[in-house]
């Protein structure tokens, strides 16, 4: 993104609140290949990140590794929302993982 244009935020709405898939594999691949490279930030929730990655995220370390894998799909940064469910199970402070392509690890509490 250049400094003069708008930020491109992609929230890949792929899973309903009841847990049903909302997009097929073709749409998912198209989003990754044709949209993610233009995104300044991609903001999947934990379940959407799992769908993008094709695996479960079962620990905070998995969430961080998953964010780095999604980052490799082309966006400039990634924020995986909903990591609090993993941390609450472990009795830790809830937070979301944010990883930028500049190698900066940003953790926001919330």
């Amino acid at each position: 993104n250049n400094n003069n244009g708008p930020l491109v935020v992609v929230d890949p709405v792929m899973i309903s609140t009841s847990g049903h898939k909302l997009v097929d594999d073709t749409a998912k691949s198209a989003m990754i290949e044709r949209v993610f490279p233009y995104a300044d930030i991609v903001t999947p929730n934990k379940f959407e990140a799992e769908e993008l990655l094709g695996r479960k995220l079962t620990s905070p370390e998995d969430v961080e590794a998953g964010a780095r894998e999604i980052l490799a799909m082309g966006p400039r940064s990634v924020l995986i929302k909903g990591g609090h469910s993993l941390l609450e199970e472990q009795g830790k402070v809830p937070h979301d993982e944010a990883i930028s392509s500049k190698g900066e690890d940003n953790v926001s509490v919330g």
Side-chain angles (χ1 to χ4, degrees), residues 11-23 45-48 81:
D11 186 357
V13 178
M14 300 171 37
I15 308 291
S16 71
T17 54
S18 59
H20 293 94
K21 285 179 67 169
L22 300 174
V23 299
N45 65 33
K46 178 184 169 291
F47 305 108
E48 292 160 343
K81 304 170 294 187

Side-chain angles (χ1 to χ4, degrees), residues 40-106:
D40 289 295
I41 186 166
V42 174
T43 62
N45 65 33
K46 178 184 169 291
F47 305 108
E48 292 160 343
E50 290 173 339
E51 177 64 27
L52 288 167
L53 297 166
R55 64 181 172 82
K56 293 285 186 188
L57 301 175
T58 59
S59 70
E61 294 77 18
D62 283 349
V63 173
E64 182 175 344
R68 292 184 188 285
E69 290 173 46
I70 295 169
L71 184 66
M73 296 175 186
R76 288 171 191 78
S77 56
V78 175
L79 172 68
I80 297 180
K81 304 170 294 187
H84 61 276
S85 59
L86 293 171
L87 294 170
E88 286 172 351
E89 290 172 7
Q90 298 175 5
K92 296 181 181 177
V93 176
H95 71 281
D96 293 318
E97 294 291 338
I99 307 293
S100 78
S101 60
K102 295 180 181 173
E104 301 165 345
D105 290 353
N106 300 310

